[in-house]
Amino acid sequence: MLKGFTAPRSPLGAAALVPPPPWHFAGDVLAVEFWNDPDLSAHILPMGVELDKKRLGHSVALFTDYQFTGQNDEYLDPARYQSRSFSVLLDAMWKGKEIAWCPYCYADNDAALMRGWIQGYPKKFGAVHQTRTFPTSSPASAQLAQDTRFSACMSAHGLLLAKARVTLREKAERLVGVLDRRIVGRRYFPRLSAGLHDKPAVDELVRGILDHLLVTNIWIGKGELSFPEAYGEELEVLGPLKVGRGYRFSFSYSVNDIEILADLTVPDHG
Amino acid sequence: MLKGFTAPRSPLGAAALVPPPPWHFAGDVLAVEFWNDPDLSAHILPMGVELDKKRLGHSVALFTDYQFTGQNDEYLDPARYQSRSFSVLLDAMWKGKEIAWCPYCYADNDAALMRGWIQGYPKKFGAVHQTRTFPTSSPASAQLAQDTRFSACMSAHGLLLAKARVTLREKAERLVGVLDRRIVGRRYFPRLSAGLHDKPAVDELVRGILDHLLVTNIWIGKGELSFPEAYGEELEVLGPLKVGRGYRFSFSYSVNDIEILADLTVPDHG
Amino acid sequence: MLKGFTAPRSPLGAAALVPPPPWHFAGDVLAVEFWNDPDLSAHILPMGVELDKKRLGHSVALFTDYQFTGQNDEYLDPARYQSRSFSVLLDAMWKGKEIAWCPYCYADNDAALMRGWIQGYPKKFGAVHQTRTFPTSSPASAQLAQDTRFSACMSAHGLLLAKARVTLREKAERLVGVLDRRIVGRRYFPRLSAGLHDKPAVDELVRGILDHLLVTNIWIGKGELSFPEAYGEELEVLGPLKVGRGYRFSFSYSVNDIEILADLTVPDHG
Amino acid sequence: MLKGFTAPRSPLGAAALVPPPPWHFAGDVLAVEFWNDPDLSAHILPMGVELDKKRLGHSVALFTDYQFTGQNDEYLDPARYQSRSFSVLLDAMWKGKEIAWCPYCYADNDAALMRGWIQGYPKKFGAVHQTRTFPTSSPASAQLAQDTRFSACMSAHGLLLAKARVTLREKAERLVGVLDRRIVGRRYFPRLSAGLHDKPAVDELVRGILDHLLVTNIWIGKGELSFPEAYGEELEVLGPLKVGRGYRFSFSYSVNDIEILADLTVPDHG
């Protein structure tokens, strides 16, 4: 009897790339809000999802540095289960409801890649870095204080894809304008059978369910952001026409479920 | 209209992690045949697959160093599309037919990881290395000649999982005992919906179809192989009781199709 | 006029691998004290350095996760200047003074490697990881609290070289038994000229000078530590016969100077 | 008695980052000749080295994929001793003799980094890739034949620094215009003692001695090359105004000695 939430399934279930949910995450985020060109960003949306007309092109780029654990003390296996990721979220609408559409996502770890695909986040491998804060005061430690600057960057296969800076202005009680919409992604697993390469085995529009979301140490400030052009990527098409606020905060949440909005393999999926 | 064989689907289809088939592969292989304990290796087989009673426990470990291309000159993008991989193949039977079952597979590249999952190979991230040969004669270049030694190793997340050595004995015209069975794997994509974590969306037993398989520069010799024990892995359970021949050869093949043997999500999948 | 504290020296001095001192460091440390076999560890000492007879074999292993900056906002370039490192310090004596001898050191970053060699720490490339704490309470975040466990590991070229765990017991005001001796290393730069391969151009015994050392959030607990055997390494020779306390703390310090204890290229260097 | 050609020196000498010479190298090279702006490239030369007035600004960029061995079968330890590197060589003169000055050099391996510094090549960490050829004919394998294209790239810390393509035109018997001058570099090891940061302990102009140089499978064709601008690097200053031939060849050589041209720590080093 083989065990495992994902392949490779094995006698003990210890070899699986991803342990079974619930999954727990805790980390630090550097985020920048921006506006891209809605004439371009409209084309990144799947059927049934539309731009949010009240906030045309409003998006956020998130750089996340986090630790993961399942039920088996995975946080004590930091080489396998820490990860740094980058994602873009675009303000959109699904059947009249505000959502955040996730067109692109990158992470530096194989388990994170697979968790992403299972959650509908289309992760590719990316090297992600962000300035850190440490408890001692030092020129080497960015303090959570007014005017402190934090930088972040993301590269894939040696190409710089995203670069950000946030200059802190003030501490905030609540996170407004980022992570206040449910994230919608697309679970997609293709067929390899000849003639069926464009008929995926799985093609579902899904809405994430974050349990026990905690956000703390919220600082808001001035954001800077750019998406350099890179061969083999289309992230730059969503690049900022205008950049807004920057955010720096810490978070934790858990994932045990997902909401399936539509099965896109069915012609009339509405 | 979004395009792409895999996610992320994008307006131009250039962002997809994996380009559409046909896929072409060319590379070098170091392989070692071995016998593991059939009482243990029988437990790595999915329902319907059995050990080959004529060759109980006979397996092969392959270390592959290869270049990939699709239809868009991906071989000119070596940072993205070269890969090194490791896999274990176990002699088995499916409905009376000889097959090679692939329980574990590792690769060092995100596109390779996803191609593997699509083909039913349960890839995880691994760093794979093998001794190389170069056209000039030098102590630094392993020549394809009698008594030359080649080494290979595979590590994941800093843990050594496999180590091999092959001492060349003689050139061979044909590859016997390795890659002479069709490889069977399992396409597996889980559900995240609460209550359905053990009901995968995709669970198919599949048999690979290799087009235009060419094998050349075949050398056969003495093999050495070990699978050190490592936390979070079960590869060592399949470790060698006895080691046989070693192989070193170059290959190319293409993939455009896969044969679905059974849909394991259906109770009576036979 | 070429500029740069290290090579490559360039017109603007921006290309140098390491910027000029003062250097500032801030980070988190997981440390474990242990005792190795003094009959073995005595052999890792250079001429003139002796084991501390009051604490024969007493050593500490440190896993450090830190950010670096020089005078040019290097902390805003996290891809280049964050680093994780591992080092062993052995209680020893130099001319009657208590010192901590650094026989082995690993880091995951090229600038860290070179800074190490310049400071007399014999750094090699290693992948170092440790469990992290984050400000939100979550199963994924190790809280600084009694009974919390933190793990750390270090691998080089896919071989696990060190593994540690610390179970926190109590908060402490001061760090006792670790980092309370000045660290002594050896600046060593060989000659390549034929016949002079064993006559280094630089061979200095040096004592580190840490300015503005701050240590905070000190927790002391139970340590676990092992140095698995690995081909091409000798760290395991210094492995623990007995393991003592574990430590988890945050730090910052600066480096602008070094004390040269002896020029070992001179025969009578005393 | 501690042993080792480099630090870390250890009882057995097995821990040293770099084994003692002679060193042997074998590999494949993709190279592109180009001309940069002599008004700019003149500023990358150390005192005493001048541009070659007959070939002002003529340079070559080399991408190398190679295996290393010392006297201890290091080629059987491919995870540690294979490396890919990138270097720029600029046609220059030293006291009336034609030389190739090496201003910048990158490699993907710690032992390669240190060997470089010892040889006077100012190596930093870079990820280097080039299209490969394999013995079987396949769309995935670039054959050594007319009109075949090979690509190469080099990135450091996620920033693309160099990109090249060579389209093969014809096989050649001899390599002309590349590697036909002795390479001159600078061995440089700084002091950390306060007040002496600009007084290096080692600052030598050195000329490389390549023993048993073999070059084979030489193909010459059309080159393409660019050095994208990148923060923290100055390579782009040497970027091509004009690009010439491209080369693809295999090589081997050994290193056991170096010629010291001048001690630059001595004021009148002539």
Side-chain angles (χ1 to χ4, degrees):
Chain A
M1 183 57 191
L2 295 171
K3 296 175 192 162
F5 177 63
T6 64
R9 288 170 62 85
S10 60
L12 302 175
L17 178 49
V18 174
W23 299 332
H24 308 287
F25 304 85
D28 296 325
V29 173
L30 204 73
V32 176
E33 77 170 341
F34 65 102
W35 287 261
N36 47 33
D37 183 341
D39 289 344
L40 295 174
S41 52
H43 294 294
I44 196 66
L45 302 175
M47 206 169 14
V49 176
E50 297 180 346
L51 288 185
D52 183 345
K53 292 198 177 62
K54 304 181 306 296
R55 297 157 72 88
L56 279 174
H58 185 262
S59 303
V60 63
L62 296 108
F63 301 80
T64 306
D65 190 350
Y66 71 95
Q67 195 160 259
F68 164 87
T69 206
Q71 315 319 300
N72 201 24
D73 290 342
E74 284 81 357
Y75 73 99
L76 296 176
D77 193 356
R80 270 203 189 88
Y81 292 113
Q82 287 178 2
S83 178
R84 292 179 283 199
S85 71
F86 167 85
S87 40
V88 169
L89 299 177
L90 180 59
D91 285 357
M93 302 296 289
W94 166 258
K95 294 194 174 178
K97 293 224 172 93
E98 295 183 347
I99 60 164
W101 170 249
C102 177
Y104 299 117
C105 207
Y106 296 79
D108 64 357
N109 173 283
D110 55 351
L113 236 60
M114 187 47 57
R115 284 194 313 263
W117 283 65
I118 292 167
Q119 293 178 273
Y121 307 146
K123 286 193 182 174
K124 300 200 285 187
F125 190 89
V128 187
H129 295 87
Q130 65 176 273
T131 299
R132 290 179 61 182
T133 183
F134 292 96
T136 53
S137 178
S138 157
S141 174
Q143 296 305 302
L144 292 176
Q146 199 180 335
D147 295 335
T148 299
R149 291 170 296 164
F150 284 78
S151 287
C153 57
M154 189 272 292
S155 294
H157 300 293
L159 302 177
L160 181 68
L161 301 186
K163 203 176 159 179
R165 183 165 297 178
V166 172
T167 306
L168 304 188
R169 291 295 182 234
E170 53 187 352
K171 208 167 185 321
E173 285 309 302
R174 296 195 313 123
L175 206 51
V176 176
V178 54
L179 291 191
D180 50 6
R181 293 159 169 246
R182 300 251 317 268
I183 301 172
V184 171
R186 189 172 182 176
R187 284 166 45 90
Y188 195 93
F189 194 73
R191 281 197 175 86
L192 183 55
S193 304
L196 298 174
H197 296 168
D198 57 350
K199 307 282 183 217
V202 177
D203 189 3
E204 298 169 342
L205 214 59
V206 291
R207 186 154 52 185
I209 300 173
L210 305 189
D211 295 331
H212 315 303
L213 177 63
L214 294 177
V215 176
T216 189
N217 289 9
I218 306 170
W219 280 79
I220 299 186
K222 178 174 160 283
E224 300 169 62
L225 181 71
S226 62
F227 295 165
E229 195 178 335
Y231 180 79
E233 305 285 343
E234 297 178 49
L235 179 60
E236 75 269 17
V237 177
L238 301 185
L241 296 183
K242 189 179 117 187
V243 178
R245 286 167 296 183
Y247 304 83
R248 208 274 177 190
F249 58 91
S250 297
F251 76 95
S252 62
Y253 64 80
S254 302
V255 167
N256 190 47
D257 193 5
I258 203 164
E259 182 187 356
I260 301 177
L261 299 180
D263 181 348
L264 303 182
T265 65
V266 178
D268 179 16
H269 63 267
Chain B
M1 182 58 190
L2 294 171
K3 296 176 193 164
F5 177 64
T6 65
R9 289 170 62 85
S10 60
L12 301 176
L17 178 49
V18 174
W23 298 333
H24 308 286
F25 304 86
D28 296 325
V29 174
L30 204 72
V32 176
E33 77 169 342
F34 65 103
W35 287 262
N36 48 33
D37 183 341
D39 289 345
L40 295 174
S41 51
H43 295 292
I44 196 65
L45 302 175
M47 205 170 16
V49 177
E50 298 178 345
L51 288 185
D52 183 344
K53 294 200 177 62
K54 304 182 307 295
R55 298 158 72 87
L56 279 175
H58 185 261
S59 303
V60 62
L62 296 108
F63 301 80
T64 305
D65 190 350
Y66 71 93
Q67 194 160 260
F68 164 88
T69 207
Q71 315 319 301
N72 201 24
D73 290 342
E74 284 83 357
Y75 72 99
L76 295 176
D77 193 356
R80 271 203 188 87
Y81 291 113
Q82 289 178 1
S83 179
R84 291 178 284 198
S85 71
F86 168 84
S87 40
V88 169
L89 300 177
L90 180 58
D91 286 356
M93 302 295 290
W94 165 260
K95 296 196 172 175
K97 293 225 172 92
E98 295 182 344
I99 60 163
W101 172 248
C102 177
Y104 298 117
C105 208
Y106 296 79
D108 64 357
N109 173 283
D110 56 350
L113 235 60
M114 188 46 56
R115 283 192 315 261
W117 282 65
I118 292 168
Q119 294 178 272
Y121 306 145
K123 287 193 181 173
K124 298 200 286 187
F125 191 88
V128 188
H129 294 88
Q130 64 175 276
T131 298
R132 290 179 61 182
T133 184
F134 291 97
T136 53
S137 179
S138 156
S141 173
Q143 296 304 303
L144 293 177
Q146 200 180 334
D147 295 334
T148 299
R149 291 171 296 164
F150 285 78
S151 288
C153 58
M154 189 272 292
S155 295
H157 299 293
L159 302 177
L160 182 68
L161 300 185
K163 203 176 158 177
R165 184 165 296 179
V166 172
T167 307
L168 303 188
R169 290 297 182 233
E170 54 186 354
K171 208 168 186 319
E173 286 308 304
R174 295 196 314 123
L175 206 53
V176 176
V178 53
L179 292 192
D180 51 7
R181 292 161 169 246
R182 300 252 316 267
I183 301 171
V184 171
R186 190 173 182 177
R187 284 166 43 91
Y188 195 93
F189 194 72
R191 281 198 175 86
L192 182 56
S193 303
L196 299 173
H197 296 167
D198 58 351
K199 307 282 182 218
V202 178
D203 189 2
E204 299 169 341
L205 214 60
V206 290
R207 186 155 51 188
I209 299 172
L210 305 189
D211 296 330
H212 316 304
L213 177 63
L214 294 177
V215 177
T216 188
N217 289 8
I218 306 171
W219 279 80
I220 298 186
K222 178 174 160 284
E224 299 169 64
L225 182 71
S226 63
F227 294 164
E229 196 178 334
Y231 179 79
E233 305 285 344
E234 296 178 49
L235 180 60
E236 73 272 16
V237 178
L238 301 185
L241 296 182
K242 192 180 116 187
V243 178
R245 284 168 296 184
Y247 304 84
R248 207 274 177 190
F249 57 91
S250 298
F251 76 93
S252 62
Y253 64 79
S254 302
V255 167
N256 190 47
D257 193 5
I258 202 164
E259 182 187 358
I260 300 176
L261 299 180
D263 181 348
L264 303 182
T265 65
V266 178
D268 179 15
H269 64 266
Chain C
M1 183 58 191
L2 295 171
K3 296 176 192 164
F5 177 63
T6 65
R9 289 170 62 85
S10 60
L12 302 175
L17 178 49
V18 174
W23 299 332
H24 308 287
F25 305 86
D28 297 324
V29 173
L30 204 72
V32 177
E33 77 169 343
F34 66 102
W35 287 261
N36 48 33
D37 183 342
D39 289 343
L40 295 175
S41 52
H43 295 293
I44 196 66
L45 301 176
M47 205 168 15
V49 177
E50 298 179 346
L51 288 185
D52 183 344
K53 293 200 177 60
K54 304 183 307 297
R55 298 158 71 88
L56 278 175
H58 186 261
S59 304
V60 63
L62 296 108
F63 301 80
T64 306
D65 191 350
Y66 71 94
Q67 194 160 261
F68 164 87
T69 207
Q71 313 322 299
N72 201 25
D73 289 342
E74 284 82 357
Y75 73 99
L76 295 176
D77 192 357
R80 271 203 188 86
Y81 292 112
Q82 287 178 2
S83 179
R84 293 178 283 199
S85 71
F86 167 84
S87 40
V88 170
L89 299 177
L90 180 59
D91 285 357
M93 302 295 288
W94 165 259
K95 296 195 172 176
K97 293 226 172 92
E98 295 182 345
I99 61 163
W101 171 247
C102 179
Y104 299 117
C105 208
Y106 296 79
D108 64 357
N109 173 284
D110 56 350
L113 235 60
M114 187 46 57
R115 284 193 313 262
W117 282 65
I118 292 167
Q119 292 179 272
Y121 307 145
K123 287 195 182 172
K124 298 200 285 187
F125 190 89
V128 187
H129 295 88
Q130 65 175 275
T131 298
R132 291 179 61 182
T133 185
F134 291 97
T136 53
S137 179
S138 157
S141 174
Q143 296 305 303
L144 293 177
Q146 199 179 335
D147 296 333
T148 299
R149 291 170 295 164
F150 285 77
S151 288
C153 57
M154 188 273 291
S155 295
H157 299 293
L159 303 177
L160 181 68
L161 301 185
K163 202 176 158 176
R165 184 165 297 179
V166 172
T167 306
L168 303 188
R169 290 297 181 233
E170 53 186 354
K171 207 168 186 321
E173 286 308 303
R174 295 196 314 123
L175 206 51
V176 176
V178 51
L179 292 192
D180 52 6
R181 291 158 171 248
R182 298 242 331 257
I183 301 171
V184 171
R186 189 173 182 176
R187 285 167 42 92
Y188 195 92
F189 195 72
R191 282 200 174 85
L192 182 56
S193 304
L196 298 174
H197 296 168
D198 58 351
K199 307 283 182 218
V202 177
D203 188 2
E204 298 169 342
L205 215 60
V206 290
R207 186 154 52 186
I209 299 172
L210 305 189
D211 295 330
H212 316 303
L213 177 63
L214 294 177
V215 177
T216 188
N217 289 8
I218 306 171
W219 280 79
I220 299 187
K222 180 174 159 283
E224 300 169 64
L225 181 71
S226 63
F227 294 165
E229 195 179 335
Y231 179 80
E233 304 285 343
E234 296 178 49
L235 179 60
E236 74 272 15
V237 178
L238 301 186
L241 295 183
K242 190 179 118 186
V243 178
R245 285 167 297 184
Y247 304 83
R248 208 273 177 192
F249 56 92
S250 297
F251 75 93
S252 62
Y253 63 81
S254 302
V255 167
N256 190 47
D257 193 4
I258 202 163
E259 181 187 358
I260 300 177
L261 299 179
D263 181 348
L264 302 182
T265 65
V266 179
D268 179 15
H269 64 266
Chain D
M1 183 57 192
L2 296 170
K3 297 175 192 164
F5 177 63
T6 64
R9 289 171 61 86
S10 61
L12 302 175
L17 178 49
V18 174
W23 299 332
H24 308 287
F25 304 86
D28 296 325
V29 173
L30 204 72
V32 176
E33 77 170 341
F34 65 102
W35 286 261
N36 47 33
D37 182 341
D39 289 344
L40 295 174
S41 51
H43 294 293
I44 196 65
L45 302 176
M47 205 170 15
V49 177
E50 297 179 346
L51 289 185
D52 183 344
K53 294 199 177 62
K54 303 182 308 297
R55 298 157 72 86
L56 278 174
H58 185 261
S59 304
V60 63
L62 296 108
F63 301 80
T64 306
D65 190 350
Y66 71 94
Q67 195 160 258
F68 164 87
T69 206
Q71 316 317 301
N72 202 25
D73 290 343
E74 283 82 356
Y75 73 99
L76 296 176
D77 192 356
R80 270 203 189 86
Y81 291 113
Q82 288 178 1
S83 179
R84 292 178 284 199
S85 71
F86 167 84
S87 40
V88 169
L89 299 177
L90 180 58
D91 286 355
M93 302 296 289
W94 166 259
K95 294 194 173 177
K97 293 227 172 91
E98 296 182 345
I99 61 164
W101 171 247
C102 177
Y104 298 117
C105 207
Y106 296 79
D108 64 357
N109 173 283
D110 57 349
L113 236 61
M114 188 47 57
R115 284 193 313 263
W117 283 64
I118 292 168
Q119 293 179 272
Y121 307 145
K123 286 193 182 174
K124 300 199 285 187
F125 190 88
V128 187
H129 294 88
Q130 65 175 273
T131 299
R132 290 180 61 183
T133 184
F134 291 96
T136 53
S137 179
S138 157
S141 174
Q143 297 304 303
L144 293 176
Q146 199 180 336
D147 295 334
T148 300
R149 292 170 296 164
F150 284 78
S151 288
C153 57
M154 188 273 291
S155 294
H157 300 292
L159 303 177
L160 181 68
L161 301 185
K163 203 177 158 177
R165 183 165 295 179
V166 172
T167 305
L168 304 189
R169 290 297 182 234
E170 55 187 352
K171 207 167 186 320
E173 286 310 303
R174 295 195 313 123
L175 206 51
V176 177
V178 53
L179 292 192
D180 50 6
R181 291 159 171 247
R182 300 246 324 264
I183 301 171
V184 171
R186 189 172 182 177
R187 285 166 44 91
Y188 195 93
F189 195 72
R191 280 197 176 87
L192 182 56
S193 304
L196 299 174
H197 295 169
D198 58 349
K199 306 283 183 217
V202 177
D203 188 2
E204 298 169 342
L205 214 61
V206 291
R207 185 154 51 185
I209 300 173
L210 305 189
D211 295 331
H212 316 303
L213 177 64
L214 293 177
V215 176
T216 189
N217 289 8
I218 306 170
W219 280 79
I220 299 187
K222 179 175 159 284
E224 300 169 63
L225 181 71
S226 62
F227 294 165
E229 195 177 335
Y231 179 79
E233 304 285 344
E234 297 178 47
L235 180 60
E236 74 270 17
V237 177
L238 301 185
L241 296 183
K242 190 180 117 186
V243 178
R245 285 167 296 183
Y247 304 83
R248 208 275 177 190
F249 57 92
S250 297
F251 75 93
S252 62
Y253 63 79
S254 302
V255 167
N256 190 47
D257 193 5
I258 203 164
E259 182 187 357
I260 300 176
L261 299 180
D263 181 347
L264 304 182
T265 65
V266 179
D268 179 16
H269 63 266

